[in-house]
Structure formats: structure tokens, C-alpha cells
Amino acid sequence: MSARVLVGVKRVIDYAVKIRVKPDHTGVVTDGVKHSMNPFCEIAVEEAVRLKEKKLVKEIVAVSCGPQQVQETIRTALAMGADRGIHVEVSGKDYETLGPLQVSKIMAALAKKEEADLIILGKQAIDDDCNQTGQMTAALLDWPQGTFASELTLEGGKLKVVREIDGGLETIMINMPAVVTADLRLNTPRYATLPNIMKAKKKKIANVKPADLGVDVSSRLEVLNVEEPAQRLAGVKVETVDDLVGKLKEAGRI
Amino acid sequence: MLKAVNKTYLRQLSGLIQRFQSTLVVAEHNNDTLTPITLNAITAANKLGSDVSCLVAGTNCAKVAEQLSKVQGVKKILIAQHAAYKGSMPEELTPLILATQKQFGFTHICAGASAFGKNLLPRVAAKLDVAPISDIIEIKSADTFVRTIYAGNALSTVKCNESVKIFTVRGTSFEPAAVDGGSASSEEVSSSAAAGVSEWLEQTLTKSDRPDLASAKVVVSGGRGLKSGDNFKLLYDLADQLNAAVGASRAAVDAGYVPNDMQVGQTGKIVAPELYIAVGISGAIQHLAGMKDSKTIVAINKDPEAPIFQVADFGLVADLFKVVPELTEALKK
């Protein structure tokens, strides 16, 4: 099969970082904070690379929207095995308000331009926790969607997707072209090896602007305020099981 | 004087606007019973001070429509029964919701932030060219919502200037609507032909006699400290004494101790029970995201430095293999 896969990758604050809210309540502190590829995007890249290794796809294009720094994230995807990258340059105020609606319009426009057969995204970004972009991209293209995928199989022009749902798992069959979003259990992403990181430096990253794709990035959502959630009061350590049972009875929990 | 007139006028005007607001709640169900999170979504919808309608789409809607007709705060039930709605595929439900929206012109469309709601609503939103809002925990006004970002470590207040507000509701942040005393009317709705681009094949549900994790009053969760799937039996025994649901950390799921639908956290289920007992769970940011709104948190861990103790109301630094059976015995008395 000669499919082309588009993989969306987002640069986010590293998952292990304890975030801090800005004193002016406009957002969280991002300057000087460790960033890396969104964990769900890593899984999406890994899945695309595995499909290529099975010779089910011929080309993987990694896409990221944002300022100059997202090129590092694209490089990481290239080092994992993506063939080329597209950096959709969005910066300043537009980047601050860039949300799933705008990104999905960009992804949909690129999918048409690049004649993609499959788009793989992570199920959610760990910063905005929206869980929207994949579904919205599928809608804009009128393609079927296989969200929260934990297993993906190509079967004669169709995709069999095992999805993680609330009560367990479900299996669906969707026509190609399609959009799939990766859940944690889809695979274990590989580490990029040094030779591959070196090779990735030679791979091409094209630079485009949303306007080149005919996408308006203005947003009708306004963040009024960002604040810290209420802190829990410090608790107490108990010495024995009996103490614990006593405390829980006292608190009326058992 | 003029000021007073203006104020009255404004109040009347806002009353008028409120009366013209109408919300569609997309009901989640399994063709037999309504999924409880729909009741939480109905409560959220009622906070908008508007007429609330519920859409029931499925292959067999009669029973669910019957249940919904008695739910307090629901004015109208829209019923769409068709073989194409098997498995609630979003490719089939989206055109139906768009047709319904065209007919009734809702100002708000919402659903519970479950796997069903998260899968469906963004697709609807994109078709209407509006930015949706995920997993809201509070409604400040008809256009202003609060949601968490960064795994629950920040609260973001968002004003939505879209013509239609589309959002999913965090079930644990709103009380369930009462399931009796309501008297909704019902009406059939239909959409165009089946899209036919996707097909539901099968489901493998984890069977359990225990209460549903997302709505249980008590949750007992295990992590990597359990060391094996067999050892989870210790937690099942404890849960049985408390009529609790059993959850897990990602580590326990990844290690294969338990199925992934038991995962509590940023990427799993969000729970807020009265009592949450974390056993052998260190308390990573991603896990805390799913349980730190629990009323009382108990941590049992042998590592006194484990971050879980920073959020626990009662902490017991001990070997879980010793104290969990003791706790189970103590509760039998």
C-alpha cells in the first residue's frame, strides 16, 4: 500500500514538571520550563513508524503548529522515523489562543494538500487536556474517526480499531481515509538513537503559515483567568490499622 | 430614577434572553439503561437557566426515553431510533444532532465527559465551526465556564463567544438530577440516510458486581506496590467490606495487573468519592488528577516520602501486605 500518514505532534511542558500559575493569572509559566513532545503524540509517531516498518505506509509526515521551538518536536519525530516535517508557524498572540479548532483546520487543510490517507494524533495534549483535535479534524474532512485507539490493524483499505471505552474495549471498522487518536496502550514509543538523531538533521522541515493553507486562526474562546486549584489541608499520619478505622469512623466515612 | 428603570429593563431583558436559551443534552445509554453521567449533565444544563431537551438516539430507545421522561429538569425528549445508531458511532450521530440543531436552534449542546461524550461532541462542534469546551467543572454564566488544565493543576475560566456553546460536563462536579418527579414530553426526530463509513463490531466489557468506578461512594485503588494481578485480591476483599469500586494507577494497568478501564487519572477516569483509599500508589501528578477531589483520601504506602501523603487526610506508613488484610478484618467486626 502506498499510503501517506500525517502525524500531529505538540510541544508541551514536560509531563513530570510541576507547573506554576503566573502571578497575573493569565496562564502558566512556560519560560525556562522543560518542554518535550506530548506523550500521546509520541505514541502516534511510534504507531505510524510501525506501519511503515510493516510496509503498509510509504511516507510519514510529522506536523506541528506553533513558534520556532516546535521544530525541535518535529526533529524528535523525524529521529523516531518520520520522513519529513511541516512546521506551521504560529507565534505571539495567535499562538496563545491557538486551540483544537484552529489546529484541526490546519490538519484538515494539510491532509488535503498532502493527499494523506491516514492522520494519527494523540488522544489529548497533557497541557490543555482538551481531547478534541482528532475528532474535529475527522469532522472537517468528513472522515471516520477511531479515537482512544489501543490497537490498530489495516485490513484491505479499512482500519480495524480497538478503542478504550469506559466499561472496557470496543472494536470498530472504519473506512480509509480516517483519523485515529492514540491512547496510552497503543504501543511503547522507541527512543531515538544517536545515529537516527543525526540522520534526522538532514531530513526536511517545510515551513508554512496558516494563511498559506487558507486557515483563519482567530479564536472565539477567551481565557478570563487561570488560577491554582484549592490546596488540600495537610492530613495526619496514623500508626495502626485500628487508629485508621477510628479516624474514618470519626469522620463518618465508614 | 432613570437608573432604576434601566435596571428593571435590563433584568427583564436578561430574563427574556434566558427564556430563549435552550440546551440539548445528548443522552448516553446502552439501549436499556441511561448512563448515570447523563443525570449529572442534566443538572449542569439546568444551571444555564434554560429549557432542557434530551436526545436519545439508539437502536432501541423506548426504555431509556421512559426513564428520562421522569427525570427532573427535562422538558422535552427527542427520540431517534434507527439501526444505523448501533454502537453510537459519531459518524452517524453527528448528522442527527446537526439536523436537530437546525430544527430547534439550541444555544447550548452538552453531554457527560465520558468516552462517549468526548468522542462525539468535538465532531459536532467542528461541523458547526465552533470551539467546544471539554470537561467543565463549573458554570459561571451562560457563556462562562471553568475547567481544569495541566492534569488538574490549574483552573481555567473560559468565556465562549460562539453562537452555540458546546461542552462536556465532568460528572463528579455536578449532582445527579433526580430520577423521578419529572414529566417531559417526547417527540420523534430523524436525520438523513446512514453515513455508512464506520461499523461497530464488538464490545468486551469488564464484568464486575462492584459499583461503577466513576460514581462509587468509596473507591479502593492499587498501584505498582501490589506487585501482581493476583495480589489485587487483597483490594477486592477490602472493597467488598466497604461496597467500594476498585481502581488502579497507570503503573498497575501497564504492568497488566488489571484492565485499563480501571485506571484513575488524567488519562483514565476522574473520580471524587467520599472515601478514596490509595494502596501502594506513589501519587504521581497524573494519578492525583483523577482523584484529588475525593472528600477523604487515605494512603497506605511503605515509603513515607511518597507524594500521595501530601494529599492524604489519613496516611498509614506500612507494608500493604500486612495492613490491608488487617483493615479488611477490622471492618468485618
Side-chain angles (χ1 to χ4, degrees):
Chain A
M1 195 174 176
S2 59
R4 178 174 294 131
V5 184
L6 229 55
V7 186
V9 291
K10 185 175 184 182
R11 178 178 180 266
V12 298
I13 293 182
D14 189 84
Y15 74 93
V17 170
K18 174 101 180 70
I19 59 118
R20 280 182 302 131
V21 171
K22 286 185 190 166
D24 65 358
H25 299 289
T26 55
V28 307
V29 177
T30 55
D31 287 345
V33 175
K34 186 186 177 197
H35 282 67
S36 37
M37 189 190 292
N38 179 43
F40 290 96
C41 301
E42 284 184 3
I43 296 168
V45 174
E46 174 67 31
E47 196 63 19
V49 174
R50 288 186 189 189
L51 290 173
K52 193 181 172 193
E53 287 169 346
K54 287 183 203 150
K55 306 212 182 308
L56 296 169
V57 306
K58 70 162 187 223
E59 192 185 32
I60 303 167
V61 185
V63 182
S64 194
C65 309
Q68 195 63 25
Q69 294 96 309
V70 306
Q71 289 201 6
E72 293 162 23
T73 311
I74 298 173
R75 272 306 155 206
T76 308
L78 297 177
M80 287 174 73
D83 296 291
R84 61 186 167 93
I86 299 176
H87 170 207
V88 183
E89 203 178 329
V90 185
S91 52
K93 185 86 186 109
D94 284 341
Y95 179 57
E96 281 169 32
T97 59
L98 189 74
L101 180 60
Q102 292 77 30
V103 174
S104 60
K105 285 178 180 175
I106 289 167
M107 290 304 294
L110 282 174
K112 283 185 196 153
K113 191 177 161 211
E114 299 288 337
E115 296 175 340
D117 308 280
L118 176 63
I119 298 178
I120 311 181
L121 303 174
K123 81 162 178 178
Q124 77 189 61
I126 59 164
D127 52 1
D128 62 28
D129 281 334
C130 277
N131 195 333
Q132 297 171 348
T133 306
Q135 295 87 315
M136 297 179 83
T137 305
L140 295 172
L141 289 162
D142 264 318
W143 292 2
Q145 65 193 49
T147 54
F148 327 146
S150 59
E151 215 181 300
L152 184 62
T153 327
L154 258 77
E155 282 185 11
K158 291 192 176 196
L159 280 174
K160 192 167 150 188
V161 184
V162 178
R163 305 182 54 232
E164 297 202 3
I165 56 168
D166 292 332
L169 298 170
E170 76 174 16
T171 309
I172 59 168
M173 188 73 98
I174 55 178
N175 290 1
M176 295 259 275
V179 177
V180 170
T181 71
D183 213 317
L184 277 176
R185 245 101 19 211
L186 184 58
N187 58 50
T188 308
R190 70 193 65 192
Y191 288 104
T193 59
L194 189 59
N196 286 341
I197 293 170
M198 299 312 285
K199 264 188 243 167
K201 290 188 175 168
K202 295 205 178 73
K203 293 180 180 175
K204 294 240 169 9
I205 299 180
N207 190 292
V208 299
K209 302 231 158 39
D212 303 338
L213 300 167
V215 175
D216 169 18
V217 290
S218 66
S219 169
R220 291 179 295 264
L221 289 185
E222 243 179 282
V223 173
L224 300 182
N225 179 46
V226 174
E227 61 191 320
E228 305 248 0
Q231 296 298 314
R232 290 188 78 96
L233 295 174
V236 293
K237 293 249 170 77
V238 294
E239 295 300 320
T240 65
V241 167
D242 287 338
D243 283 352
L244 178 60
V245 172
K247 294 276 187 199
L248 287 175
K249 277 193 175 142
E250 221 173 277
R253 295 296 177 215
I254 54 173
Chain B
M1 175 70 190
L2 195 65
K3 229 178 182 173
V5 170
N6 266 343
K7 251 188 192 159
T8 323
Y9 174 71
L10 272 179
R11 206 173 305 130
Q12 277 173 350
L13 191 70
S14 76
L16 206 65
I17 292 168
Q18 280 205 344
R19 237 168 292 142
F20 281 118
Q21 283 187 356
S22 55
T23 303
L24 178 70
V25 179
V26 185
E28 179 178 354
H29 63 94
N30 63 1
N31 288 303
D32 186 49
T33 48
L34 191 65
T35 308
I37 197 168
T38 305
L39 298 171
N40 308 94
I42 289 169
T43 300
N46 272 302
K47 289 202 190 295
L48 294 162
S50 62
D51 281 356
V52 174
S53 301
C54 267
L55 174 67
V56 184
T59 54
N60 195 348
C61 303
K63 265 182 148 173
V64 178
E66 165 76 19
Q67 289 168 40
L68 261 176
S69 68
K70 294 178 194 141
V71 172
Q72 258 179 41
V74 181
K75 197 149 189 200
K76 187 161 37 178
I77 299 165
L78 305 172
I79 301 169
Q81 185 165 311
H82 197 283
Y85 303 142
K86 183 182 170 191
S88 297
M89 303 300 280
E91 295 80 7
E92 304 297 344
L93 295 185
T94 302
L96 169 68
I97 296 171
L98 296 175
T100 313
Q101 171 61 13
K102 206 170 173 191
Q103 187 181 347
F104 297 96
F106 297 105
T107 55
H108 297 75
I109 302 176
C110 72
S114 58
F116 166 83
K118 290 175 185 172
N119 190 34
L120 176 62
L121 284 207
R123 191 174 178 105
V124 174
K127 280 297 193 187
L128 292 169
D129 192 24
V130 307
I133 302 175
S134 295
D135 214 359
I136 61 151
I137 59 168
E138 192 187 331
I139 294 174
K140 294 243 185 206
S141 72
D143 64 3
T144 306
F145 307 89
V146 183
R147 59 182 302 268
T148 66
I149 53 175
Y150 289 94
N153 287 302
L155 303 177
S156 174
T157 304
V158 187
K159 181 161 186 277
C160 175
N161 299 312
E162 302 285 5
S163 55
V164 186
K165 280 80 172 161
I166 300 187
F167 58 95
T168 55
V169 175
R170 181 170 297 183
T172 54
S173 296
F174 299 86
E175 291 296 313
V179 292
D180 49 29
S183 57
S185 63
S186 59
E187 188 175 323
E188 284 194 21
V189 287
S190 59
S191 78
S192 48
V197 292
S198 58
E199 187 193 353
W200 182 88
L201 298 182
E202 62 170 353
Q203 227 173 39
T204 336
L205 297 182
T206 310
K207 288 214 175 61
S208 164
D209 299 330
R210 294 192 182 80
D212 172 51
L213 182 56
S215 51
K217 286 199 159 49
V218 182
V219 174
V220 177
S221 277
R224 201 195 307 270
L226 268 293
K227 292 196 172 78
S228 79
D230 291 341
N231 290 334
F232 255 76
K233 182 163 187 313
L234 293 174
L235 300 194
Y236 296 137
D237 291 344
L238 173 59
D240 287 344
Q241 294 307 314
L242 292 161
N243 189 29
V246 177
S249 69
R250 183 186 164 189
V253 173
D254 283 353
Y257 303 168
V258 290
N260 48 31
D261 57 287
M262 282 168 65
Q263 186 181 328
V264 171
Q266 181 183 21
T267 65
K269 294 203 172 64
I270 310 268
V271 301
E274 286 176 14
L275 176 59
Y276 188 89
I277 305 180
V279 182
I281 292 177
S282 65
I285 297 171
Q286 292 75 17
H287 185 73
L288 300 183
M291 46 64 80
K292 68 179 177 187
D293 288 329
S294 305
K295 294 211 173 71
T296 299
I297 298 174
V298 170
I300 297 175
N301 204 305
K302 65 180 176 193
D303 174 12
E305 303 299 322
I308 191 78
F309 287 118
Q310 290 162 23
V311 299
D313 299 284
F314 306 116
L316 180 56
V317 182
D319 180 2
L320 72 93
F321 293 104
K322 180 173 165 284
V323 296
V324 171
E326 274 180 38
L327 183 55
T328 307
E329 281 310 310
L331 291 169
K332 279 182 185 166
K333 284 176 205 156

